[in-house]
Amino acid sequence: MSPLRLVWKNIAGSAFRSWAVFLCALVVGGLLFSTVLLVRGAEDSLRLVQQRLGADVVVVPEGTGDRVETALLMGQPTKVWMPRQNLDRIGGVAGVAIASPQLYLASLANAPCCTAEMFVMAFDPQTDFTVTPWLNRHLGHNLGLAEAIGGSDVFVPYGEDKIRIYGSEIDLVGSLERTGTGLDTALFLTFDTAYAVADGSYTKAVRPLEIPPDSISAVLVQVEPNVDPRVVALQIAHDVPGVTAIPGSGLFQAFHTQAGLLSRIMAALLGTVSLLSLLLVGLTFSMAVNERRQEIGVLRALGATRRAVLHSLLVEALMLALGGGATGVLLAALVLYLFRNLIVASLMMPFRIPSVPSLLALAAGGLAVALADVALAVLLPALRASNLDPATAMRE
Amino acid sequence: MRALAILIVILAILIGVLPQFFNCQYDGKGLVLADGRQVPMKCYWTARASLAVAILLLALGLLLAFSRQQETRRALAFLGAIAGILVILLPTWLIGVCQHPGASCNLVMKPALILMGILVVVASVAGLVLSSRRPEPTA
Amino acid sequence: MIKIEAATKTYALGRGVEIAATRDVDLEVARGEFLVITGRSGAGKTTLLNLISGLTRPTSGRVLWNGMDLWALDDAHRSALRNRQLGFVFQFPSLLPSFTVLENVVLPTAFGSNRRDPNVPGQAAALLQRVGMAGRRNAYPRQLSAGQQQRVVIARALINCPEVLLADEPTGNLDAETEREIIELFGELQATGELTALMVTHAPHLVPQASRVVEMAGGVLRAGG
């Protein structure tokens, strides 16, 4: 008869108490894991998008910064225009190494590929540094006419081999990796393809694609080495009227703030749940110790030391906490993984499952908090039980 | 064992009901044929099939709750696990859901069915383990 | 073997009120003796057993085991002494409900150095045979009668081959016939001469094997009964 078997039998012997501790640990572990995962996932997503854009400064028409950020992060198409000549002015600002123009368009709603408008981003292959590096790595060449690459969630409709946009057939030659943002539902094609589609839409589509002449939507800027992007952004805003220049580090500030707010709300929730859990487990264990007074007295009479009684109770609680915490973390991971798209759509926030090492670290953290919560809750009742005078304990 | 059976009954109800409200047909979206007719998309049929499996699972859960024989419980638990696997396979392989990642069938129905299918399998396996234990000796 | 010197045990009832369960008790128990302790309810019999076994600390006085002061030992040593040298039979149902009969019998070994001794299950089986419970080794306490449970408790008390068996009203909850059977069992076990037995009972006439009978009255020990 090992002490561990004794513990296991005690766990099995009281369903209510064991389930109470198990479920409290499950909730605490799962909640902590999902809280940190949500916030971390959002931050990871934002970071990935910033990396993907690769821009030190993003220049958009004045006052449209928020709309463009929402388009990039949530995939909600937006049409913003500024004069093409801004490109040359921006290129002439001191410290600018590359200035690459982009066009932001939207596909038709209820196109066969999509149930809603899709964000279409046209780029200049000569100057682009956002998509072109990926193209060179994965395709070995840039996009040709009537070719496009899509975010991870863009697909060719079943039974067809091309995507239709405004009546024109486009070859989907590749898919970018998932970012957990609107870029996953975006389509990337060259300026030439965009203009060709626009020209063809007047005869082929139910509604034409109108691109104002000599207009662009945004300019992505890379600065020269050792130049502060914030200084260049200020200079662009000064030199080029009618634009907003956002340094890369300042991109998506609203979403960073939102992630921070979510983090604080979840932390408050977690704190409350942990405290309630602590109280519930403490109370349940106190009641259990009271019920088992006589039994504990018998065990002491049979030769169990005070320390053995304390260890037995603590191990019992911690085994339940480990089981509950692990189950909570696993359940939380499963739910967040399965419902990741719903999270993005309903929270209006980017979200991406972090890498496996990060996940394991978060899981360990969730488990540790669940264990600590339970250990703290049962310490006092366990100490009281171990210090019971055996003779008094055995008296009814 | 009864608690597991009740869990299976609850999951069965959710498996049957939830997909009816999260498919493209319910959202008013269908497949338009060349002759102009609109027919339901795959996710609608997945929802229908889920209802069928759910009814089976409900019966199974109720039987498990009231059955006393070890062998019967074992058999029911085994069948429950199979039904759970079917629930997972319906939206992923057997029929599937729509391609568009923003469709409600993709956002809600598919992940929910997978999750509930997993829970059914876990509950059934637990039931299988419990019903395989040596019964207590009678007095 | 066991010596109690002027042992007094008082309990505080609150508001400065104290009650003395035993007063200046002196007692010597020789090896191999079968001592019966009688007395009315509340006379201090159970407290006396608790003092002897180290389950409660005397307010004053000493408890000596083979010349060693029990309360000069730390908790670990005192617990070890109870584990190896004492066997307990309580009046109340003391089997652990979630453990089978066999598991209850081997329970004391969980706290001793013989925890991993492969002979323990065999010894437990032999003890169950001796107390007439071999056929119920896999039963749970709730499936046994009160008398059957007490037999198992006796087997548990003997698993570590103790020197002393303490029994506190072991037949208190049993019918007359079962009571006789249990006391007969005690007599058989003690008759081997290897066991010192101390039994609290309200019916000393049922214990013809007793070598000595003492009486507790109002916390004071008197010879005879």
Side-chain angles (χ1 to χ4, degrees), chain C residues 1 14 22 41-42 65 69 97 104 120 141 161 166-167 174 177 191 198-200 205 208 214 220:
Chain C
M1 183 191 181
T22 66
S41 289
W65 274 71
D69 186 345
N104 265 291
V120 161
C161 305
L166 297 176
L174 306 178
E177 191 177 327
L198 281 78
M199 183 189 290
V200 166
H205 60 279
V214 295
V220 174

Side-chain angles (χ1 to χ4, degrees), chain A residues 20-21 23-25 27-28 31 267-285 369-370 373-374 376-378:
Chain A
V21 177
L23 287 172
C24 282
V27 170
V28 170
L31 197 61
L269 183 66
L270 182 67
T272 309
V273 167
S274 295
L275 186 65
L276 286 173
S277 181
L278 195 111
L279 291 170
L280 180 65
V281 170
L283 194 68
T284 310
F285 235 73
V369 170
D373 197 52
V374 168
L376 208 64
V378 308

